[in-house]
Amino acid sequence: MTQILLVDDEAAIADLVEVYLKNDGFAVHKFYNAAGALACLEREEIDLAILDVMLPDMDGFTLCQRIREKHLFPILMLTAKVEDMDKIMGLTLGADDYITKPFNPLELMARVKTQLRRYKRYNRPGEEEPEDAFDFRGLQISRTTHKCLLYGEELALTPREFDILWYLCQRRGKVVSSEELFEAVWGEKFLDSNNTVMSHIARLREKMHEPSRRPKFVKTVWGVGYTIE
């Protein structure tokens, strides 16, 4: 049975999440402080952790760091904090996802299952599965739902902007030329004088709040093309 570590000092929320998790067949190890959670990790094989940021003995960010020193299972941050920097901090310290209170329990369950699927998929060597979603460094994009979220906020992308981002995510770590990107997304022959790709990349970065000179996601490799690292 899949083992879930749940840490939240608000008993009402912890109890509610526990009910939904158990209804979906998960075994739940519930704690109201970080000390109990750390002790649990010494004796149980945990598959995923849901951590609140505001805990009485240690903040959730520090707890996340402590977990990452020894464990690779997915971590979801569950918190009332909504500032972008808090989201970025959690993801930087090793969290895989971030959801703010108040939340829809069904959405939380969906995210739990998504993270577990990804974790199990990447830990089955030699077994290939087609990608229908990408989730890294706070960027989530799904071909099934045709939605893109950045640090938990949905981006209002046009179909063309979505296709550009999806194509780059599929080739993450590789440099894609403007010619390849145009012919893949537009399905037409690329002309040297065509600035369509450049203008669409600029609008995409603007919607992602990316600084043009030092973007975090869609980067320009001058004279070659674009890449997502």
Side-chain angles (χ1 to χ4, degrees), residues 68-207:
R68 276 290 172 256
E69 291 173 2
K70 297 182 180 179
H71 305 280
L72 296 175
F73 55 73
I75 298 175
L76 280 73
M77 304 301 292
L78 180 63
T79 178
K81 287 179 170 289
V82 297
E83 291 82 359
D84 286 341
M85 286 309 298
D86 289 311
K87 297 180 182 180
I88 295 170
M89 181 182 296
L91 295 166
T92 301
L93 294 176
D96 297 274
D97 202 355
Y98 198 110
I99 188 167
T100 56
K101 303 174 185 177
F103 59 89
N104 183 332
L106 295 177
E107 179 185 356
L108 177 60
M109 293 306 103
R111 295 199 189 194
V112 165
K113 293 172 185 176
T114 296
Q115 291 299 329
L116 286 170
R117 281 197 302 271
R118 290 182 63 244
Y119 181 61
K120 291 175 181 177
R121 176 190 302 167
Y122 297 154
N123 282 275
R124 289 199 295 259
E127 188 171 332
E128 295 291 332
E129 292 187 21
E131 289 280 12
D132 61 2
F134 295 96
D135 185 350
F136 58 94
R137 291 191 290 126
L139 176 65
Q140 299 169 290
I141 183 168
S142 169
R143 183 170 53 185
T144 303
T145 64
H146 219 266
K147 289 185 178 181
C148 179
L149 283 76
L150 184 61
Y151 306 125
E153 301 295 330
E154 186 172 349
L155 301 180
L157 302 183
T158 65
R160 199 77 78 184
E161 290 163 351
F162 181 93
D163 290 345
I164 290 172
L165 190 56
W166 178 260
Y167 193 84
L168 291 174
C169 285
Q170 280 187 306
R171 288 149 184 78
R172 184 179 171 196
K174 300 179 181 179
V175 180
V176 178
S177 68
S178 294
E179 178 179 0
E180 177 185 346
L181 194 55
F182 182 84
E183 294 183 356
V185 173
W186 276 265
E188 301 175 9
K189 186 66 177 176
F190 179 80
L191 302 175
D192 288 339
S193 59
N194 194 330
N195 292 320
T196 303
V197 172
M198 185 185 301
S199 61
H200 275 74
I201 290 288
R203 285 197 293 272
L204 180 59
R205 284 175 175 159
E206 183 179 346
K207 291 183 178 181

